[in-house]
Structure formats: C-alpha cells, structure tokens
Amino acid sequence: MLGGGQLGRMLALAGLPLGIEFRFLDPSPEATAGTLAPLVVGDLGDVARIDELANGATVVTYEWEGVPANGARAAARHAPVRPDPRALDVAQDRLMEKETFQRLGIGVAPFVAVDERAELERAVDVVGLPAILKTRRGGYDGKGQHAINAAPDIDAAWDALGGVPLILEGRVPFARELSVLAVRGLDGDPYARETRCYPLVQNEHANGILRVSTAPAPGLTPELQADGVAIATRLLDELEYVGVLAIELFEHDGRLLANELAPRVHNSGHWTIEGAQTSQFENHLRAILGMPLGSTEARGYSAMVNCIGTMPDADAVRSVDGAFLHDYLKTPRAGRKLGHVTVVADTPDARDERLYALKAIVDSTR
Ligand code: AMP
C-alpha cells in the first residue's frame, strides 16, 4: 500500500482477519499503519523504495490521493495497481476534476482556470461573487483556498495563492454537504462486477475539515440516493475503476453538484465499520483482490465525529451507549485527525441523542 496513515491502518485492521498480509510505504517512520505490518520508509515517488514495497505483492493500492502518479505507475511493474492511477491524475488537479465532472454531465459550481493575475477579474465576472480561489494542485482539508467575498478581496486572494495554477469557483449556497461512497469489483468476476453504493452521508465541515458525518443522511429520499448513485456510476465507468471511490457533493436547489472526488476510502465512510453490513475498508480490499463484494446496507443509524487536534477522554466516550472509539495512535498536533468516534442506534432519534452527548465530550477536550 502506498501511504501508511490512518486509512492504511484501518484497511489493515479490516484485512488482517481475512488473512491478507500488508506492506506499507510512507515518508514517515512514525506512520501509524507501521504498528500493524512492515513499513518501508521512503518517498511515495522513490522508485527504489517502491520496488522494495511492491516486489512480490499480489496487488498494490493507495490510501492517499496525493501519491505521485509516477510512483503508482512504477509499482505497476510488479503487480496490478488498483484503482488505476488515472484516478490520481484526475483527483490531483481541481481543473481536470471539474472538467471531468462536467464532461460526464455531472453538475458543478461555476469555475474558471486562472494562471495570471490579469485573468482574475475576468474570472470573477464569469463565476460571480462570492467565490473561492483555490490552488489546482496540492490543496486538501481547506488548505490552498482563499475566499473572495467582494472586489477588494481579489488582491489579498492573489497575494495568498498567486504564482501557481489556480481555479476560481463560485461559492455554492448549498443546503448541505453530502457524500457518496461507491465500490466496484474486478471486471470479469461475475460476483463483483456490479456497483454498490453506501447510503448517502451528510457531512459538516469546520475550517474545511470534516467534523461530523451522519449516515444515512437525514431525510434521504430514494430519488436523492439514485442521483448520488448515478454520479458515482458515471465516474466509475469513466475511470474503469476498481475499489472504493468517494465523491463529495453539495445539495443545492434539490440537485447534487460534485465538489471533489477521492480515489480511496474516505473519512465520511468511517461509520461503515460499525454502521454498515460490510465496511468501506473490507469492501475496498475485496474489490481490489477480485473477491465478491459485501453488502453496503446500513445497520441502523450512525454518526461519526472526528477527533481533531486532541483525543477525548476515552472512558467518557465509552459511557455513551453505542459509541465506538478509534484511536489512530498519532502524535497530537493542531488540526490533525487523531481518531474518530462512531455512534450507532436503532432509530434516528436515539442516534441524534447519542451524537449530542458525544459531541459535548469531544468538544470539551478541544
Ligand atoms: P474542498 O477542499 O474543495 O473539499 O473544500 C473544503 C470545503 O470548503 C468544502 O467541504 C466546502 O465546505 C467548502 N467549499 C469548497 N468549495 C466550495 C464552493 N465552490 N462553494 C461552497 N463551498 C465550498
């Protein structure tokens, strides 16, 4: 596996009981997946380290969309890389990503590429205000973004981000944020060829970082679920995808607009460990190894709260019925995802009650 962070760790935690053996490559000797399986320390684009990682592997996958595509392609000399690294090319460039959505008939916020200062005013005219200026590459969790609420903000936005390829997006006054997680198995496997989607999830962000996911999304209708499945299916087809794919969405005017895709297991799918018939982690492994996929149906009603910067009091969390604490064993740092808690319940009301109690515990330690 290219990358050995918490997603790699949770993939290993899902795969070890299935008898799957793992090896990880990560630039950090502290990478948290390294407590579970051998860790090769090196750059994710370092071909010698990638040879060491992938030699003898059955399959290579990745747990971070920032993996250099040339690194993923170097691994392909040893074993099939799934999902196909083409998904990395699209996910790593916000412009290519938006153009791909648009080409597939998937709704997006208005956007214009901006490379020069002189292009920015015209771009503002096209997408309108308020808008968000973003770096095309390298941005995540709200990094590499600058709001332009009114004309005087244009200079500050350029000063903050100018000099690299950018994209200006109109700010969507969305009703809420949702995500869809889909999984597709290996072509040729009659059991696994179909696409399976988890119920759409509602996501709340703060400072660009996911705080809470609620699953299934409150008020999820069959029509909205079908819209999400249709978006995911078009992307899976386009990318000839194998594995779990996540798409972040805005619900606006009763429609779904795609914001970005993640060609990997996703933070908004962590609830599936306790809250779905088969977790996103196990289903990703099943998919890339050509096994039959597991059911993506929810077991009751779930919510997930991220632990960011500090971990909550573990016993306080465990005192909440239906709560499950996951500690990624990472060194605390401001803004860093250190763990998460999932609550499950039999009814939406019971879930909301438990979520309320849990949020108070997690927030009290922030
Ligand atoms: P991103 O890095 O693109 O996922 O952006 C992080 C968060 O910023 C999103 O989850 C939204 O809350 C917000 N955001 C990003 N782009 C837009 C947009 N075009 N309109 C409204 N909100 C946005």
Side-chain angles (χ1 to χ4, degrees):
M1 193 166 325
L2 294 158
Q6 66 264 23
L7 300 178
R9 177 183 175 81
M10 287 185 271
L11 282 160
L13 287 169
L16 291 170
L18 306 181
I20 300 168
E21 293 174 284
F22 293 83
R23 189 155 59 229
F24 294 94
L25 174 64
D26 197 279
S28 168
E30 310 282 298
T32 179
T35 59
L36 296 172
L39 174 70
V40 178
V41 178
D43 196 89
L44 296 171
D46 181 336
V47 173
R49 296 284 81 76
I50 288 165
D51 285 343
E52 195 182 326
L53 174 84
N55 189 23
T58 308
V59 63
V60 175
T61 191
Y62 41 89
E63 57 95 78
W64 184 47
E65 71 272 28
V67 168
N70 70 327
R73 291 192 170 103
R77 292 180 301 154
H78 297 276
V81 178
R82 299 182 184 129
D84 189 292
R86 198 153 60 87
L88 293 171
D89 298 331
V90 177
Q92 286 173 5
D93 181 347
R94 288 186 189 277
L95 182 64
M96 202 195 287
E97 190 175 48
K98 288 270 176 338
E99 285 173 345
T100 302
F101 291 142
Q102 209 169 39
R103 185 158 41 79
L104 298 176
I106 298 168
V108 288
F111 66 93
V112 177
V114 177
D115 292 328
E116 309 278 338
R117 173 68 184 82
E119 294 165 359
L120 191 49
E121 263 84 8
R122 202 189 61 82
V124 167
D125 286 344
V126 174
V127 308
L129 289 178
I132 306 173
L133 190 62
K134 301 182 180 180
T135 55
R136 272 175 59 177
R137 307 183 71 88
Y140 67 98
D141 280 352
K143 296 186 177 76
Q145 304 198 9
H146 206 283
I148 302 181
N149 294 316
D153 301 335
I154 292 177
D155 277 330
W158 182 262
D159 289 347
L161 301 178
V164 294
L166 302 170
I167 180 171
L168 185 74
E169 292 179 23
R171 177 186 290 280
V172 179
F174 53 75
R176 58 177 174 168
E177 293 190 78
L178 301 168
S179 57
V180 58
L181 270 81
V183 58
R184 182 172 282 176
L186 265 176
D187 271 346
D189 180 338
Y191 296 103
R193 202 176 288 148
E194 75 185 288
T195 301
R196 296 192 182 200
C197 283
Y198 290 93
L200 264 58
V201 174
Q202 177 178 304
N203 299 316
E204 291 157 48
H205 294 83
N207 302 320
I209 304 178
L210 182 65
R211 295 277 162 175
V212 178
S213 294
T214 310
L220 180 62
T221 59
E223 292 74 27
L224 196 60
Q225 178 70 18
D227 287 352
V229 171
I231 289 173
T233 304
R234 275 178 238 171
L235 282 162
L236 291 163
D237 288 344
E238 163 72 16
L239 299 170
E240 297 175 67
Y241 201 90
V242 176
V244 168
L245 172 75
I247 305 149
E248 295 182 35
L249 305 162
F250 300 139
E251 188 180 11
H252 175 53
D253 269 350
R255 282 182 65 213
L256 292 177
L257 305 179
N259 178 38
E260 59 180 15
L261 68 86
R264 54 167 172 78
V265 289
H266 192 255
N267 196 170
S268 69
H270 291 359
W271 65 275
T272 60
I273 295 174
E274 293 90 4
Q277 298 289 349
T278 316
S279 78
Q280 62 164 345
F281 302 102
E282 179 167 338
N283 255 339
H284 181 73
L285 297 171
R286 289 192 191 202
I288 63 171
L289 287 163
M291 299 174 188
L293 301 181
S295 165
T296 48
E297 267 175 50
R299 290 200 273 209
Y301 298 85
S302 306
M304 187 243 26
V305 180
N306 268 338
C307 307
I308 298 164
T310 53
M311 283 301 287
D313 180 74
D315 285 341
V317 169
R318 290 187 191 109
S319 72
V320 178
D321 281 340
F324 298 89
L325 179 66
H326 296 254
D327 187 334
Y328 308 152
L329 300 181
K330 284 162 65 174
T331 309
R333 203 190 305 138
R336 198 172 196 207
K337 290 174 182 170
L338 303 178
H340 74 267
V341 186
T342 300
V343 276
V344 291
D346 293 334
T347 65
D349 283 350
R351 184 262 322 272
D352 291 349
E353 232 167 74
R354 291 172 181 184
L355 174 60
Y356 186 82
L358 188 63
K359 271 184 175 166
I361 294 166
V362 172
D363 287 344
S364 72
T365 45
R366 246 178 224 146

